Amino acid sequence: MYIAVLQVFNLNIGVMAQQTGIIPLVGTLNGINFYYLNGKPIARKAGGGFTRKRIKTKASMERVRENASEFGHCSAVNKAFRSALNPFYKGYTFTHFHSRLMGLFTRIKALDTTHKRGERLVANGIGQAHGLQLLEQFSYTPACDVRQVLPFEFRVSDPDLALSIADFDIAQVGFADGATHMALTYGVLDFDFNHLNYALHLAPPLVLDRSYAGATLTLEPATLPSGLGTALYVLGVRFYQEVDGALYVLNAKGSVGIAVLKCL
C-alpha cells in the first residue's frame, strides 16, 4: 500500500518540498518526514533539525540560545504585567493581547545597552526615557482606544495623584454600541520590572449614564504607591447596558479599553 501511495508523489526533496499527490501522508517513511505546515502537506528528509542537545551545545546555535533566554524573560514580564492590569478587564478576553504585549516588551528590552545579547532586561530598557515613552504610547486596546473614547485633557495632581478631566461633555464620549452606561476605573500601578512585584492603587470606579451633566470628573486613589518600582497611571473604560434597572457588562469588541496615561 505504501509503495502505491508513494508512486503518486513527486518528491524532489533537498531540504523541504510540498507534497503533491492524491493522498497526503503524515509521519515518517523511508527517511522522509511527512507533515502539515500552515495547512499544506510538506515532505522533508528526516533529521538535521533542531534538537535540545544541539541548541544547548552547538556554537552555531548561540543566537538561538540568546533569543530563547530573552524571550523567556519577556514572557515572564508579560505574564506579571497582564496580571497587574487584570482589574481593568476582568472577565474580558482581548484578541492577541499576549502577543502584542510581547512585541512591546521585546522592543523595550532591546533598549538595554548595559547587557550583552541574551542577557538584556526589560527593566533596563524601562530605565531609558524612550522605554517609558513606549509604555505610554502603546495602544493597549486598539478596538477601544481610551483617548479617542474620551477626547479630553487628563491631569494628574500632586501629591494625591488624583486624575481630573476638565471640560467633560458626555455627548463627546464614544459609547460602545448598545451601551447605556460607562464605568471609569483609574489606578496607579506601582510595578517593579526587576523582580516583577507590583501593587495597584485604585480609585473607586465612576459610573456615568448618557444623561450625565457634569463638566468635571475626579478620580482619586484610595492609597498611594510606596516607590516599589515604576509608577504607571492607568485609566480603564468599560461599558454597560441597563436592562430592567440592572447593569450588565458588555463584552463585545470595543467595549473595554485600557490606557497608560503617564509613567514615572
Side-chain angles (χ1 to χ4, degrees):
M1 178 178 178
Y2 285 121
I3 294 175
V5 171
L6 286 174
Q7 286 177 347
V8 301
F9 282 94
N10 176 22
L11 296 180
N12 181 18
I13 302 173
V15 177
M16 178 170 50
Q18 185 174 342
Q19 298 181 41
T20 59
I22 301 172
I23 308 175
L25 295 178
V26 176
T28 301
L29 181 64
N30 294 335
I32 304 297
N33 289 334
F34 299 92
Y35 59 98
Y36 279 86
L37 179 64
N38 296 328
K40 296 180 179 180
I42 300 296
R44 66 175 294 166
K45 289 182 180 179
F50 294 149
T51 65
R52 181 176 298 180
K53 183 177 180 181
R54 286 176 179 169
I55 291 175
K56 287 184 176 181
T57 60
K58 290 192 67 175
S60 61
M61 294 288 105
E62 182 177 2
R63 183 55 58 86
V64 175
R65 292 192 291 272
E66 293 170 351
N67 290 341
S69 176
E70 293 186 347
F71 182 88
H73 166 66
C74 290
S75 183
V77 175
N78 188 345
K79 181 179 180 180
F81 194 74
R82 283 184 290 116
S83 177
L85 291 179
N86 184 258
F88 294 93
Y89 68 96
K90 187 175 182 180
Y92 186 85
T93 300
F94 293 109
T95 303
H96 307 309
F97 195 41
H98 173 272
S99 60
R100 294 181 65 256
L101 284 177
M102 281 297 291
L104 170 65
F105 291 126
T106 297
R107 292 192 295 275
I108 294 175
K109 170 265 302 177
L111 299 176
D112 180 0
T113 59
T114 62
H115 293 86
K116 65 181 182 180
R117 182 181 289 271
E119 299 177 0
R120 294 176 297 182
L121 301 173
V122 171
N124 284 45
I126 293 292
Q128 307 294 325
H130 187 50
L132 293 179
Q133 290 176 3
L134 288 176
L135 277 176
E136 292 176 5
Q137 297 171 1
F138 183 72
S139 180
Y140 292 87
T141 55
C144 186
D145 188 325
V146 172
R147 289 181 173 87
Q148 292 184 11
V149 171
L150 300 168
F152 311 108
E153 182 179 357
F154 303 110
R155 293 182 179 178
V156 177
S157 61
D158 288 326
D160 57 6
L161 302 185
L163 172 68
S164 62
I165 304 176
D167 299 323
F168 182 80
D169 181 0
I170 197 72
Q172 296 184 40
V173 174
F175 272 79
D177 291 343
T180 60
H181 290 69
M182 171 184 66
L184 299 180
T185 302
Y186 166 69
V188 180
L189 174 59
D190 195 1
F191 197 96
D192 179 359
F193 284 94
N194 281 298
H195 304 98
L196 304 186
N197 299 320
Y198 59 85
L200 180 59
H201 304 268
L202 289 170
L206 184 60
V207 180
L208 311 174
D209 64 20
R210 285 178 176 267
S211 63
Y212 180 80
T216 301
L217 301 181
T218 301
L219 298 98
E220 183 176 345
T223 57
L224 295 177
S226 60
L228 185 66
T230 301
L232 294 83
Y233 303 156
V234 184
L235 178 61
V237 59
R238 194 153 196 174
F239 291 100
Y240 293 77
Q241 184 178 73
E242 183 178 7
V243 179
D244 295 331
L247 292 182
Y248 295 88
V249 63
L250 295 178
N251 286 317
K253 183 178 180 180
S255 60
V256 182
I258 300 171
V260 174
L261 304 178
K262 189 176 181 180
C263 300
L264 290 176

